[in-house]
Amino acid sequence: MTTSSRQKPPILHVIDEEFVPPDRGDEQEGPESAVPAGDPDEAVRLFHRYRRLMAQILGYEEELPGPASEEDLAAVEEELGVALPADLRALYGIADGDGDIVNQLFDRHPWLSLAEICDQDDEWLDIAREWHYEPWRQLVFDATPPNTVRRSSLRPGWIRFAIDTGGNWLAVDTDPGPNGRPGQVIAVGVDYTRGPAYVADSVTTFLRRLVEALERGDYVRHDESLWIEADQPQLSEHTMYYDGPPSRERAGQAGPLVQDVRVTEVEDCAFLDAMPEVRSLALSSTGSPDLTPLGGRPVEYLELNVESADLTTPARNRELRSLSIACARPVELAPLRMVPNLWALDIAAAPVADLATVTELKGLRYLEVTQDQWRELSELDDLPPLAVVGVHPHRPERDWPVRTAWVTTDGEPPSPTA
């Protein structure tokens, strides 16, 4: 008994197992004036002040491990390939991490020993990059303040020195963005795969906030633990998801720094005037909204679920990296030949008037199509160097937002008759 094509699952063919989505952080410049904000002498003074305040509040002083040696510090820096910021380095000259104390130095983030710094688990990042999770739809957004931290999930220059219990770290950033400072403190990990958070311009400033909070009495005691209310920056909110016709007023309330926008019942895109920083944009409409307001927006991922789509305006955007189109009427891909950075394209839910245009998109590495579309493309010469091809047995009828339950396989491009 044969299985109909409608019963077959969509298959994701990973042709190049070494390929990973481009890292936008690699494209950013560093700061013109790379002057650290930290002060090792001040950090040491704050460290001792913090310890005295904690002892006064608790009624006893917790014992820390002994200092790290200069040889240990040099060995770790050689293994990491970068020097620790001077203020953090000075703290390791006092103690080699928190040890087993109850009240960790860095606000409920246990301070790692030098031995632990070089032995942190990166499995969370490998999982996030697995193709069946569709990482090409997931951007890494900018931190607040803008351009302080490179737009990566993890970088070799981010030295994780303190950890929470949920797969997140505090890190010192030795490879900052154009508006950042070397040695700034950031938050990275499983809760920050869509954008690291800027915490402080240095370990020195981080400690100063904790000391000032204790001096103000801004803490809560839970048995032997102190929860310090130091007003540290929290996970940035990048998103605006809205069911119903979007408006300028609604967009204005979301704020000008919103980068991830998903809206339904779109009649026109004028609301984007209030969103100059949108980078991920998903529009759903039963009609064909005018996409002209997209011009000038730094949109990198565009998802369209519309009656018909004119790609002329989106194609003028040099920042566009990923495009997903679902429509009822045939769409022309020809404008995409002008997009210099497009590497991911999903046309499985769209009838395409000029499918052969795909052969001209030489930067394309990810392609999502139907079986019929792939059969037609396979008969053409000079396809782009595709790393991943997703093949649906028929045009998908998708829920929104778009997510696919893929069956993943490794190997060569799929046969047109598979």
Side-chain angles (χ1 to χ4, degrees):
M1 179 176 180
T2 60
T3 302
S4 73
S5 63
R6 290 189 173 272
Q7 294 175 307
K8 294 179 181 178
I11 299 178
L12 200 62
H13 301 263
V14 181
I15 302 162
D16 183 353
E17 297 180 30
E18 300 300 318
F19 178 76
V20 295
D23 188 333
R24 291 307 311 276
D26 292 341
E27 302 175 25
Q28 294 176 279
E29 299 291 336
E32 292 184 5
S33 179
V35 179
D39 182 329
D41 294 333
E42 176 71 358
V44 169
R45 186 192 71 78
L46 290 166
F47 179 97
H48 290 305
R49 173 64 175 159
Y50 178 89
R51 295 274 291 158
R52 287 193 297 270
L53 288 169
M54 292 288 284
Q56 291 172 13
I57 295 167
L58 293 171
Y60 64 92
E61 184 174 63
E62 296 188 89
E63 185 176 353
L64 289 170
S69 69
E70 181 61 35
E71 292 76 11
D72 290 338
L73 281 162
V76 165
E77 290 176 331
E78 182 177 2
E79 183 172 352
L80 293 173
V82 296
L84 295 175
D87 51 359
L88 180 60
R89 203 177 197 278
L91 298 186
Y92 278 107
I94 302 173
D96 189 8
D98 277 335
D100 297 324
I101 65 174
V102 174
N103 292 284
Q104 293 86 17
L105 178 65
F106 292 104
D107 190 22
R108 287 168 277 166
H109 286 72
W111 179 21
L112 300 173
S113 68
L114 287 179
E116 293 171 315
I117 278 183
C118 297
D119 189 29
Q120 294 305 296
D121 177 24
D122 294 339
E123 184 179 359
W124 58 277
L125 183 57
D126 295 333
I127 292 173
R129 287 174 172 170
E130 290 181 2
W131 284 104
H132 65 270
Y133 291 125
E134 302 186 310
W136 71 279
R137 298 186 190 273
Q138 310 297 323
L139 298 186
V140 175
F141 295 113
D142 198 5
T144 303
N147 291 314
T148 49
V149 188
R150 291 181 187 262
R151 291 176 52 201
S152 302
S153 296
L154 190 64
R155 301 185 66 81
W158 296 353
I159 312 306
R160 290 168 284 177
F161 68 93
I163 188 171
D164 70 1
T165 58
N168 300 301
W169 292 263
L170 295 175
V172 283
D173 182 1
T174 67
D175 184 23
N179 295 339
R181 304 284 288 273
Q184 64 192 10
V185 179
I186 62 177
V188 302
V190 295
D191 292 330
Y192 300 91
T193 55
R194 302 205 72 188
Y198 177 90
V199 177
D201 64 10
S202 63
V203 170
T204 307
T205 296
F206 190 100
L207 281 176
R208 185 180 299 113
R209 290 179 187 156
L210 293 172
V211 168
E212 291 173 349
L214 290 178
E215 290 175 338
R216 294 192 305 265
D218 286 348
Y219 59 84
V220 176
R221 183 165 181 171
H222 298 271
D223 296 325
E224 297 304 312
S225 299
L226 291 183
W227 288 23
I228 304 174
E229 305 296 334
D231 297 326
Q232 303 287 7
Q234 302 299 312
L235 183 65
S236 297
E237 181 58 58
H238 302 293
T239 63
M240 185 190 89
Y241 295 168
Y242 188 45
D243 289 327
S247 64
R248 291 174 185 263
E249 180 181 6
R250 175 77 178 187
Q253 292 171 351
L257 297 181
V258 167
Q259 300 173 64
D260 184 11
V261 177
R262 182 175 296 277
V263 290
T264 65
E265 300 181 37
V266 178
E267 298 176 357
D268 66 71
C269 295
F271 70 94
L272 290 173
D273 291 342
M275 295 182 160
E277 299 301 322
V278 59
R279 287 179 166 84
S280 178
L281 178 61
L283 303 175
S284 178
S285 173
T286 56
S288 303
D290 181 8
L291 301 180
T292 302
L294 268 68
R297 299 291 176 270
V299 175
E300 298 170 24
Y301 172 72
L302 177 61
E303 183 179 304
L304 299 174
N305 184 358
V306 294
E307 175 69 17
S308 64
D310 183 351
L311 300 181
T312 303
T313 296
R316 295 194 185 110
N317 181 0
R318 298 184 63 83
E319 294 299 316
L320 187 63
R321 264 72 175 171
S322 303
L323 176 62
S324 177
I325 313 167
C327 56
R329 299 178 185 174
V331 60
E332 292 188 1
L333 303 181
L336 299 181
R337 292 178 295 191
M338 305 302 294
V339 183
N341 297 305
L342 186 71
W343 70 270
L345 178 63
D346 170 16
I347 52 175
V352 177
D354 54 346
L355 192 59
T357 300
V358 170
T359 64
E360 302 179 58
L361 308 179
K362 297 307 181 185
L364 210 60
R365 303 304 305 278
Y366 177 97
L367 179 63
E368 192 168 330
V369 290
T370 65
Q371 182 71 62
D372 288 342
Q373 288 172 328
W374 179 250
R375 184 178 294 109
E376 183 176 342
L377 286 170
S378 298
E379 295 174 354
L380 302 177
D381 295 327
D382 204 21
L383 283 176
L386 297 169
V388 182
V389 177
V391 180
H392 296 258
H394 57 89
R395 185 178 300 171
E397 296 179 3
R398 288 169 163 167
D399 295 328
W400 205 70
V402 174
R403 290 294 180 269
T404 301
W406 291 106
V407 173
T408 305
T409 183
D410 297 333
E412 294 299 316
S415 167
T417 59

